[in-house]
Amino acid sequence: MGYFTAVEGLLVGVYETRMGKQGLEGLLKSLDEVSASLKPSVCQFFNADRVASALHVAVAATVAMVAWRSKMNVAKKLEVEFLVRLSAQDQISRAIEILGISYETDRVGVCVMSKDAEGIELTRSKLERLFGCKLVPFVDNQSEYMVDELSKIYGVPERALKSVQAGNRFKALELLLMERVAISLISR
C-alpha cells in the first residue's frame, strides 16, 4: 500500500470497503467509540462515490491538518475538519450532506491519518476486525458517469472541465476539486 505524505509528521492512507446493512448500522451507531479506540491515529469515513480520487482525499487531509495547526479550523474535531475540506464547503452541515455515509451508502471511504506507516496499518487492522470487512486501496472514480455525477454534486460546469489542460475529463475534475480544497484555506 502506498501512503501519501501530507504535512511534516503525517501520513495518509486512503481505503474503501463495501459493508452490508448490518455493518453500516454498526458503524453509524458507534462512530464516536470507533474514533476514540483508534487514537493516536485519526480516521474519518465518507461516501466513496462522492470523491474523485485518493489524491483528492490526501490533499484534503493535508489542508485539514494545515488549517488545524494554524488555528484556521472551522470544526472542533480534526475528523470533521477533514470532511469540510474534502467537500470544499464552508458549512459542516453541507459537508456532511455531501460526503456523509448513510444506510444507502454503497462504498464507504476511509481516510486514516497517522504519524507513520505502522500507525496506519495498525488502524487498518483494527477497523477490519471491528467491522469484519476488508479495507482495500481506494479506487478512483474515473468513469464518465462518475465524472458527470461528481461535476453535478460539486457544481463544476463542463466549460470548466474543458478549460483545464489535463489528459481527460477525470483528470480535469480531479485538479479542479483539489484546487477548491486548497483554496478553502484562504477563502474563509
Side-chain angles (χ1 to χ4, degrees):
M1 165 65 200
Y3 305 104
F4 295 91
T5 302
V7 293
E8 183 182 335
L10 179 71
L11 289 180
V12 177
V14 185
Y15 306 99
E16 69 174 81
T17 190
R18 293 181 189 269
M19 292 184 183
K21 189 164 175 118
Q22 258 185 329
L24 279 170
E25 237 173 66
L27 174 60
L28 292 169
K29 287 179 181 174
S30 61
L31 274 175
D32 288 336
E33 294 165 34
V34 169
S35 290
S37 72
L38 301 174
K39 299 288 183 211
S41 294
V42 173
C43 175
Q44 180 62 316
F45 302 93
F46 57 90
N47 185 332
D49 289 331
R50 300 284 180 98
V51 172
S53 65
L55 188 55
H56 176 196
V57 174
V59 167
T62 302
V63 170
M65 186 56 74
V66 168
W68 197 259
R69 289 181 178 174
S70 62
K71 308 287 187 225
M72 294 171 58
N73 51 303
V74 295
K76 292 180 180 170
K77 294 173 85 175
L78 181 57
E79 296 92 326
V80 178
E81 185 72 24
F82 162 76
L83 276 185
V84 170
R85 300 304 173 162
L86 182 61
S87 69
Q89 298 296 312
D90 291 337
Q91 297 176 334
I92 294 170
S93 61
R94 180 73 176 125
I96 292 170
E97 181 183 318
I98 292 172
L99 294 166
I101 57 174
S102 69
Y103 294 116
E104 287 79 39
T105 303
D106 185 37
R107 291 171 53 218
V108 176
V110 183
C111 176
V112 178
M113 295 179 261
S114 187
K115 64 181 176 167
D116 54 33
E118 186 179 307
I120 289 176
E121 286 302 326
L122 182 62
T123 301
R124 178 182 177 182
S125 295
K126 282 182 183 179
L127 288 169
E128 288 178 341
R129 280 192 310 277
L130 270 171
F131 297 110
C133 59
K134 205 79 170 138
L135 294 180
V136 297
F138 187 88
V139 176
D140 295 348
N141 288 311
Q142 295 188 37
S143 73
E144 286 299 316
Y145 172 78
M146 288 307 296
V147 170
D148 289 341
E149 287 299 303
L150 291 170
S151 294
K152 287 178 200 167
I153 291 166
Y154 290 98
V156 177
E158 186 63 30
R159 69 181 183 283
L161 291 176
K162 289 178 179 175
S163 72
V164 175
Q165 291 184 351
N168 56 48
R169 291 176 73 236
F170 166 73
K171 279 295 181 192
L173 178 65
E174 181 184 47
L175 288 168
L176 287 168
L177 292 178
M178 290 187 305
E179 175 186 57
R180 287 184 180 183
V181 168
I183 288 173
S184 74
L185 269 176
I186 58 173
S187 65
R188 291 200 166 93

